[in-house]
Amino acid sequence: CAMYQVLSFILLFLLWVVFSGQLDAFHLTMGAISAAFVVAISGNHFFENRATGLGSRIGECFRFASYGIWLLYQMLIANLHVLTLALHPKGRDDVDPKIVRLRTNLQSDFEIFLLANSITLNPGTVTLKVEGDSLWVHAISRKSAETLDGSMEARIARIFTREENA
């Protein structure tokens, strides 16, 4: 239990440092106090499966970071597509809004949450509803809908793959 609290504190503190961009004593102290406070009041909610060892958790962190880089690249591509739709003279012809139902094989609520939010972060797609194993997504164009091909779900599933199941 203490290992997960320490790991939660480290992850939250690192996020604070990255997002604040401040490395002076005041900001680092405030980050440490904030991370400790969050762990104290909600630390039991961070890691659903406590049977997973530290090595597996560290592997998940690296795979999650890799996924984050891939997601940033996908967001860049989606931004360029929406920019083209908005500014290209024939872009309006490609606007074809639709609602797509995605069925997911992801297991945990966090994995589904990560998928839904990753879809919404990409311009041109918005997750409207999550119901069981289905996500309802609004796509601004056919090309945006085609990006919902399962590759994002597969990458999320790989983050949380356990060594014994790989």
Side-chain angles (χ1 to χ4, degrees):
C1 185
M3 175 186 73
Y4 287 104
Q5 289 178 329
V6 170
L7 186 57
S8 297
F9 172 81
I10 291 169
L11 291 173
L12 289 172
F13 181 69
L14 288 175
L15 278 173
W16 173 281
V17 171
V18 168
F19 289 144
S20 74
Q22 303 292 322
L23 298 176
D24 59 275
F26 174 76
H27 287 94
L28 292 175
T29 302
M30 292 307 296
I33 291 169
S34 298
F37 180 71
V38 169
V39 169
I41 63 172
S42 62
N44 291 333
H45 301 289
F46 286 135
F47 295 103
E48 193 174 325
N49 181 359
R50 298 287 174 108
T52 304
L54 182 61
S56 294
R57 290 292 181 198
I58 291 171
E60 285 177 1
C61 290
F62 282 111
R63 290 188 298 270
F64 186 79
S66 173
Y67 172 75
I69 293 167
W70 176 83
L71 182 61
L72 286 172
Y73 177 70
Q74 297 305 308
M75 290 168 59
L76 174 67
I77 292 170
N79 268 296
L80 293 173
H81 172 64
V82 172
L83 182 68
T84 301
L85 291 176
L87 298 179
H88 193 274
K90 294 186 179 187
R92 214 177 266 206
D93 298 337
D94 292 333
V95 173
D96 182 23
K98 59 185 74 204
I99 296 179
V100 179
R101 179 181 183 194
L102 294 178
R103 292 186 153 255
T104 180
N105 293 317
L106 296 174
Q107 299 299 310
S108 75
D109 289 343
F110 182 75
E111 292 169 353
I112 295 169
F113 162 82
L114 184 58
L115 176 61
N117 281 289
S118 295
I119 290 169
T120 299
L121 281 171
N122 276 307
T125 55
V126 177
T127 303
L128 302 172
K129 183 178 185 179
V130 177
E131 188 175 70
D133 68 345
S134 295
L135 286 82
W136 299 91
V137 179
H138 178 274
I140 195 170
S141 68
R142 182 181 48 79
K143 185 175 180 181
S144 293
E146 289 171 357
T147 64
L148 305 170
D149 60 1
S151 59
M152 186 178 287
E153 177 181 354
R155 286 178 180 270
I156 290 171
R158 276 195 297 265
I159 294 170
F160 302 101
T161 300
R162 308 290 180 254
E163 284 77 16
E164 62 270 9
N165 296 336

